[in-house]
Amino acid sequence: MEYFVQQLINGVTLGSIYGLIAIGYTMVYGIVGMINFAHGDIFMVGAFVSLIAITALGLTASTGLGLTIIALILVLIFAMLIASVYGWTVERIAYRPLRGSFRLAPLITAIGMSIVLQNYVQIAQGARVKPLQPIIQDGYTIMRRVDEQGEFVVQISNMQIFIILLTTALMVTFSMIIAKTPLGRAQRACEQDRKMAALSGINVDRTISLTFVMGAALAAVAGLMFLLYYGVIDFFIGFVAGVKAFTAAVLGGIGSLPGAMLGGLVIGLIETFWSAYFSIEYKDVAAFAMLALVLIFLPQGLLGKPEVEKV
Amino acid sequence: MSAHPLLAVSEVETFYGRIQALRGVSLDVHQGEIVTLIGANGAGKSTLMMTICGSPQARSGRVLYDGQDITTFPTHQIMHMGIAQSPEGRRIFGRMTVMENLMIGASVADQKFFDEDLERAFALFPRLKDRRDQRGGTLSGGEQQMLAIARALMARPRLLLLDEPSLGLAPLVVKQIFGAIGELNRADGLTVFLVEQNAYHALKLAHRGYVMVNGQITMSGTGTELLARDEIRAAYLEGGAH
Ligand SMILES: Nc1ncnc2c1ncn2[C@@H]1O[C@H](COP(=O)(O)OP(=O)(O)OP(=O)(O)O)[C@@H](O)[C@H]1O
Ligand SMILES: [Mg+2]
């Protein structure tokens, strides 16, 4: 029981990170109908920018609580800004010129951009893994049991609390933006009928750019979380995390925002429980087997849009 | 009538790839007028409406709005200048509610008028008020048409472009919509450029009309003049409402 609860906490934490990345895939797919394969690498860039900023600020575990919070907020904003610039640029140079071209064209440039970003970071930052000493430490013991087999404790670390709370806050904010603001309405309008959106005075190009920017900013948050949580990053983390977040987006129903969050959670939980109860080596296989199963039996995803409109 | 027409289209040619849809179209719409464009299927009427809005853009010729050359302006910018269109096929945002559709329509207008304009739209089409929280895609065809017109009005346009507003509507509702267009024109001085299959009603309502055949304007005149012409009666009013 304790073991189960512990895995649940770990799984939700991991799922939060995947969910944040998945939003970028799902939103971009919704609005331009393409899979932005460079998105995972934007997440990786976000992690590296965070690392650089943390190092520059000299943030360590011994920094006081107040300063740590201020510094992390600065790091977060900085990483979101830089990643946004990357996301915006990728769209501007690699996708926009191909809008209206054949469907596979942006997919190919997306893969190209992914390779470019990976190689660029590999050259600029080196190919070896970069470690970061833990900054947010400690936690709470929420369950404890002692019996003849030994002691079992369930812990939630401050880091996990930070990740889960920040993710929840971002997702709520983000859903509100989509549901209630003019920008959110413009995004949904472009998603449904770009021509009519333009006829309503919406700047379609700008709206699409902003969608990439929002996705990239959330990916940067995920990048910072990943860095703080695992303490090591390299130029390749965007690939694996990206494919899993993509799986999450498909699982939840690509194009659906709540779907991306739910899909992220499910993938995080599957991966964690698989590692805990079966074999850690095959955790990625479990996640990708899930993708295959979903594509076969539930191509719409869990919360995919049923197409009921009249035309 | 002001010095220059509110809308002046001159020698416009529009292509879809290699297919030419408009072959040198020229026409004027003056401030305060209702002008209608009639023509057979495929004549190029909708293409002209869309060309005015820059989507697609004219390959040659010019579109002047309020004296300004807007031929190569991006669509969203043109819509910010006081032109609104209820396009062919209605193009309702199906996964958004009636209210959200109206809010999108109002996004180019000054938000302080929103409540007032909403009231006006609901007064015009009370059915929409009952269905304000229903998704656009689940409205009936006629209700969608009402929503498309209401959405265009929410933009507070100076020039309203209507592409077949009567399509799919019951005769009573058509009457009501045409009545409403006439009323908006008289009371608010709204300028209307209207494409219609329902040539009889349209020519009755309009101050002037143009006839388009194969991407060209072949006839023009006041509504009464055109209604009286035999070739118009034969081509566009056969079996129509008399
Ligand atoms: N997107 C497009 N691609 C290629 N050809 C097009 C396109 N849209 C319209 N056309 C062609 O351009 C011509 C004019 O079409 P348009 O829709 O303007 O006619 P219309 O007068 O509005 O007809 P209707 O009364 O049926 O609505 C037609 O021959 C049509 O086939
Ligand atoms: Mg048409």
Side-chain angles (χ1 to χ4, degrees), chain A residues 61-99:
Chain A
S62 55
T63 313
L65 180 65
L67 272 180
T68 303
I69 290 172
I70 294 170
L72 280 182
I73 291 172
L74 288 177
V75 170
L76 193 64
I77 292 172
F78 183 64
M80 287 169 94
L81 277 176
I82 300 292
S84 296
V85 172
Y86 274 85
W88 183 87
T89 311
V90 166
E91 192 274 335
R92 193 70 191 76
I93 65 176
Y95 306 150
R96 190 183 296 182
L98 294 171
R99 219 175 280 156

Side-chain angles (χ1 to χ4, degrees), chain A residues 195, chain B residues 16-17 19-22 39-48 88 163-164 195 197 212:
Chain A
K195 197 169 210 168
Chain B
Y16 294 106
I19 303 166
Q20 185 168 11
L22 298 183
N41 293 127
K45 306 179 297 294
S46 299
T47 303
L48 176 61
E88 176 166 58
D163 197 339
E164 304 202 25
V195 165
Q197 292 291 336
M212 184 180 270

Side-chain angles (χ1 to χ4, degrees), chain A residues 165-240:
Chain A
L165 286 185
L166 182 56
T167 303
T168 310
L170 281 172
M171 286 184 172
V172 169
T173 313
F174 207 75
S175 304
M176 293 301 286
I177 291 176
I178 301 295
K180 301 280 182 215
T181 66
L183 172 62
R185 273 196 298 278
Q187 285 175 312
R188 285 181 291 141
C190 291
E191 208 173 296
Q192 293 175 43
D193 184 345
R194 243 185 260 170
K195 197 169 210 168
M196 189 61 228
L199 277 182
S200 310
I202 293 167
N203 185 339
V204 175
D205 281 339
R206 208 194 62 167
T207 308
I208 291 175
S209 284
L210 283 174
T211 305
F212 275 83
V213 162
M214 285 161 90
L218 289 182
V221 179
L224 171 63
M225 289 174 175
F226 185 96
L227 171 71
L228 293 176
Y229 192 53
Y230 290 105
V232 282
I233 55 171
D234 62 50
F235 70 96
F236 203 59
I237 56 166
F239 180 76
V240 180

